[in-house]
Amino acid sequence: MKRIFLLLFVVASVPVFAQHDPYMCIIPAPVSVKKAKGDFKLTSETIVLADSPSNRAVKFFAAYLKKAGLGNSITDLTILDKDHRDMKNAITLSVNFKGDQPEEGYELNITPDHITINGRNAGLFYGVQTLMQLIQKDGNGNATIPCGYIKDYPRFKYRGMHLDVSRHFFDVDFVKQYIDLMASYKLNNFHWHLTDDQGWRIEIKKYPKLTTVGSLRAQTKIGRAAGVDSELYDNTPYGGFYTQDQVKDIVDYATQRYVNVIPEIEMPGHSVAAMAAYPELSCDPKKTYKVRETWGVSEDDVYCPTEENFKFSTDVLNEVMDMFPGQYIHIGGDEVPKDAWKTSDFCKQLIDDRGLKDVNGLQSYFIARIEKYVNSQGRSIIGWDEILDGGLAPNATVMSWRGETGGISAAQQGHDVIMTPGSGGMYFDHTQQKSPQEPFSIGGNAPLSKTYAYDPLPAALDKEQQKHILGVQANLWTEYIATPEKAEYMLLPRMLALAEVAWTPLANKDFRNFSQDRIPHHLGRFDKEGINYRVPTAIGAMDTSVIGARFKVELSSPVEGAKVYYTLDGYTPRETDVYYTTPLDIIVPPKNTMHLKTIVINPSGKRSIVTDMKMENK
Ligand code: TNX
């Protein structure tokens, strides 16, 4: 506990749902926003005009309006004469406007009579997302949109969010909701971690045992990795996988939302589930392998770089490439313990035959061969930064997760890079606050502020090298995330910080404005939509010890519609306690100690952790 010596302690507070927010509560903050007076009233009479009615963004908006009960008829603008194009109470979505715009950029103009969005491809879609964020519904089904003019485009072209479905499986509906969330915050690459030691989750027709055997584990470790905390298991079989039809459905769903899906098929490490199904993929086929029931890196069980294995891996990749039309295939490459290779006669011979230096050279040989095949099919590989060991495959893109070092070195070698450093707050399996009240997690601490502060462009790179930084991604590893509710809790609100890191120009980033003026509004919406998230602690609440006789404390709610309850009697606050309405003036008698404890409880009953400000008057 920090000890702060103060006599009078004042916490500045701000009106939470600031009408005066310069960014109109939009996340990620746009490049430029000019607010104007008045509102556009969105009713079931509002007409939507489009010069490209079959465009994905237009269809998406029409579906949204229909669901919201706000009409859905789209009128083809091109068949209207000039006079009708400026009709009142209309929204125009246009791809055929004059002039240029940055990639994925849009312009949105809202006046009391008319709304226009100009944008091409993803740009129009992002203009629609911004417009949807601006819609304010009242209880009577009426909707208004504040007037303004927005010009916007992204800082980075790669804006990614990862989901590990191997350690725990998440069903099709959840994955679609994840993609929806990504799209509404202008993230455009969904990295789907489909295979790992603990489960193979994608149907491969040529190798059915990958799912009949490889998707099932007999039980799951309770608590941390075996040997760390305990040797307790839940004695409950666990499994799940996606059929090829389900995968195609998800890819199509994502495409409609301008989200590219990048499948990850791990090799040569993190492959125990595949070897449980097909032991011949290993260097020791006589051994029995079982789908891993605990976490951490499998000591020595990795693929053997045999011809048989290359045949298997390329067969699998063929089916994967049929399901995923995007440019990138992620082939893993991380955490490959090489003990099995060191003791294998086959590997020793191969190292000699190919004139390789050592087992690292073998890893590099493995990845380069896979890359050559993927490239021959017109695609590109991404690998975790370990693919740098022993030399990078010629065209590979590197995902830098062990800090930025790997990414910096890859960019210096002229390779494309995606930054996703755990040390930069990009690991959403880390906790959001160091507190025993937070749910069990893998360790590490990545509070919202840390994620928000990350800048993917390392100063160590010159301007030319920086061009290789395609963008940024956050990862949700799920060893300790077994339910959709917990996945949402770990994801939100940090994913909104990621969106701003990836999209917003540095000059427009402002954590106070983001966390206090804009986040509360978005969390209030999640609540209405039934999406779980971590309820932040009250704005202005301290969780530390302070010394003094009198404390003035101003608090505000971090969630629109939520209340801040508090106690001064040492008890844990709950909904039966008083809630905050006006600033507190707390007087601590001499030689006494008081506690100000707060909790935030939102309309659906979700609660924050409890803060405890210990006030001592010595
Ligand atoms: C490292 S990030 C891993 C994953 C774990 C994760 C847990 C990476 C390439 N490998 O296998 O799930 O840490 O934080």
Side-chain angles (χ1 to χ4, degrees):
M1 284 250 261
K2 246 192 270 163
R3 296 179 73 84
I4 302 177
F5 294 83
L6 300 167
L7 262 181
L8 188 71
F9 177 68
V10 182
V11 182
S13 100
V14 283
V16 169
F17 315 114
Q19 297 295 319
H20 52 261
D21 171 42
Y23 298 115
M24 299 172 86
C25 271
I26 299 160
I27 295 179
V31 171
S32 97
V33 175
K34 284 198 191 95
K35 299 205 290 184
K37 286 214 168 65
D39 293 307
F40 178 94
K41 301 211 169 17
L42 183 57
T43 66
S44 51
E45 265 87 66
T46 302
I47 293 167
V48 180
L49 304 167
D51 58 11
S52 170
S54 60
N55 179 290
R56 280 179 251 176
V58 177
K59 283 194 189 151
F60 184 90
F61 190 51
Y64 164 81
L65 290 178
K66 187 173 179 190
K67 208 167 160 212
L70 293 164
N72 69 327
S73 71
I74 304 286
T75 306
D76 188 342
L77 183 63
T78 54
I79 59 168
L80 292 183
D81 56 45
K82 202 155 180 339
D83 299 344
H84 285 92
R85 293 185 182 194
D86 298 324
M87 67 173 81
K88 288 195 171 171
N89 194 13
I91 300 175
T92 303
L93 306 180
S94 176
V95 295
N96 295 318
F97 53 90
K98 287 203 187 78
D100 281 341
Q101 247 172 20
E103 277 287 300
E104 305 183 274
Y106 66 90
E107 274 175 86
L108 166 60
N109 193 19
I110 304 155
T111 69
D113 290 335
H114 205 108
I115 293 176
T116 310
I117 307 177
N118 287 345
R120 298 192 177 96
N121 305 316
L124 187 65
F125 183 79
Y126 293 140
V128 165
Q129 295 310 314
T130 297
L131 180 65
M132 283 165 52
Q133 284 194 12
L134 290 172
I135 297 174
Q136 291 165 2
K137 288 180 217 145
D138 68 16
N140 308 320
N142 299 320
T144 56
I145 302 166
C147 291
Y149 173 72
I150 294 160
K151 211 170 156 46
D152 203 10
Y153 53 87
R155 181 171 178 219
F156 293 102
K157 72 172 180 187
Y158 185 103
R159 305 179 298 278
M161 192 63 230
H162 151 290
L163 178 66
D164 168 11
V165 296
S166 170
R167 276 57 177 270
H168 283 100
F169 179 72
F170 294 88
D171 69 13
V172 171
D173 286 345
F174 180 81
V175 174
K176 286 183 174 173
Q177 187 203 304
Y178 204 79
I179 290 167
D180 278 334
L181 275 168
M182 287 180 58
S184 56
Y185 290 95
K186 305 186 175 84
L187 297 173
N188 65 353
N189 278 285
F190 172 50
H191 173 171
W192 204 3
H193 187 80
L194 286 160
T195 73
D196 213 305
D197 298 324
Q198 292 82 2
W200 182 286
R201 308 264 176 245
I202 179 168
E203 178 190 25
I204 300 294
K205 299 231 155 100
K206 203 158 180 181
Y207 299 96
K209 282 200 277 178
L210 285 173
T211 42
T212 55
V213 176
S215 76
L216 298 164
R217 62 176 179 254
Q219 54 181 358
T220 301
K221 181 77 183 68
I222 294 170
R224 292 192 193 284
V228 179
D229 266 2
S230 72
E231 287 298 331
L232 302 178
Y233 289 82
D234 68 357
N235 191 34
T236 306
Y238 187 88
F241 69 91
Y242 309 97
T243 65
Q244 295 205 351
D245 284 344
Q246 288 174 323
V247 168
K248 287 181 200 151
D249 177 40
I250 285 172
V251 170
D252 180 55
Y253 189 85
T255 307
Q256 295 310 317
R257 288 154 181 78
Y258 287 94
V259 173
N260 172 53
V261 187
I262 299 173
E264 181 181 354
I265 307 296
E266 279 266 24
M267 60 188 83
H270 285 284
S271 52
V272 177
M275 293 188 297
Y278 298 100
E280 58 273 28
L281 299 171
S282 71
C283 283
D284 188 359
K286 285 189 283 304
K287 221 171 121 179
T288 38
Y289 298 87
K290 56 177 186 170
V291 180
R292 212 165 143 78
E293 296 160 8
T294 183
W295 319 121
V297 180
S298 167
E299 292 74 28
D300 57 3
D301 298 328
V302 301
Y303 284 164
C304 212
T306 57
E307 288 311 307
E308 198 175 4
N309 195 303
F310 283 115
K311 166 99 177 59
F312 165 84
S313 295
T314 49
D315 281 347
V316 167
L317 289 172
N318 281 339
E319 290 193 33
V320 167
M321 287 187 278
D322 282 347
M323 284 179 263
F324 295 89
Q327 185 197 343
Y328 292 115
I329 306 292
H330 199 307
I331 50 77
D334 61 312
E335 299 178 321
V336 188
K338 301 181 179 79
D339 294 350
W341 289 356
K342 282 185 191 146
T343 52
S344 143
D345 290 337
F346 171 81
C347 292
K348 286 185 211 155
Q349 189 63 47
L350 191 60
I351 289 173
D352 273 357
D353 291 351
R354 302 263 163 188
L356 303 170
K357 218 168 131 219
D358 53 15
V359 283
N360 279 336
L362 206 50
Q363 149 122 347
S364 175
Y365 160 80
F366 188 100
I367 303 290
R369 241 183 104 164
I370 294 292
E371 173 178 77
K372 200 167 170 201
Y373 183 73
V374 172
N375 287 171
S376 77
Q377 304 303 302
R379 311 293 185 92
S380 313
I381 66 159
I382 300 179
W384 298 107
D385 56 52
E386 286 92 332
I387 66 168
L388 281 147
D389 303 346
L392 262 183
N395 308 310
T397 295
V398 171
M399 247 181 202
S400 193
W401 71 279
R402 295 173 306 173
E404 291 186 322
T405 324
I408 290 172
S409 144
Q412 285 165 341
Q413 295 175 46
H415 285 254
D416 285 345
V417 170
I418 294 153
M419 285 297 189
T420 179
S423 52
M426 294 296 119
Y427 269 48
F428 289 179
D429 54 341
H430 295 178
T431 51
Q432 301 182 66
Q433 187 171 326
K434 271 191 201 146
S435 162
Q437 297 174 61
E438 287 294 331
F440 183 51
S441 81
I442 196 159
N445 190 36
L448 186 66
S449 54
K450 182 174 180 182
T451 303
Y452 191 82
Y454 182 60
D455 181 358
L457 284 188
L461 296 177
D462 65 30
K463 282 266 161 306
E464 265 320 291
Q465 292 164 340
Q466 283 191 347
K467 286 190 188 145
H468 285 295
I469 309 294
L470 302 182
V472 58
Q473 172 173 299
N475 302 325
L476 192 60
W477 299 102
T478 59
E479 287 95 330
Y480 305 101
I481 302 175
T483 63
E485 289 76 10
K486 190 164 177 185
E488 290 169 355
Y489 182 99
M490 300 305 275
L491 185 71
L492 301 170
R494 284 185 290 198
M495 194 195 79
L496 280 55
L498 168 73
E500 201 140 313
V501 168
W503 181 281
T504 301
L506 271 186
N508 291 8
K509 278 178 72 188
D510 173 351
F511 184 65
R512 199 214 53 81
N513 160 262
F514 170 76
S515 59
Q516 299 188 10
D517 297 348
R518 290 183 284 137
I519 282 281
H521 177 66
H522 290 254
L523 296 183
R525 283 204 168 181
F526 291 151
D527 222 34
K528 289 188 191 120
E529 289 160 11
I531 295 168
N532 198 30
Y533 56 89
R534 177 183 186 271
V535 178
T537 54
I539 296 168
M542 296 274 283
D543 200 20
T544 187
S545 287
V546 288
I547 291 179
R550 187 170 182 177
F551 299 89
K552 289 200 171 164
V553 180
E554 290 189 32
L555 301 171
S556 59
S557 166
V559 180
E560 203 168 66
K563 290 193 175 95
V564 181
Y565 294 84
Y566 68 92
T567 60
L568 287 164
D569 56 12
Y571 274 74
T572 300
R574 50 198 295 158
E575 48 281 83
T576 46
D577 287 296
V578 281
Y579 62 86
Y580 178 91
T581 49
T582 50
L584 309 176
D585 184 1
I586 302 163
I587 294 173
V588 186
K591 308 250 171 294
N592 267 284
T593 299
M594 288 174 79
H595 289 262
L596 170 64
K597 295 191 178 183
T598 75
I599 189 170
V600 179
I601 306 182
N602 72 14
S604 71
K606 288 195 250 300
R607 4 183 13 112
S608 70
I609 63 171
V610 173
T611 63
D612 180 357
M613 175 172 154
K614 185 179 171 197
M615 298 162 288
E616 254 184 291
N617 186 0
K618 290 204 159 176

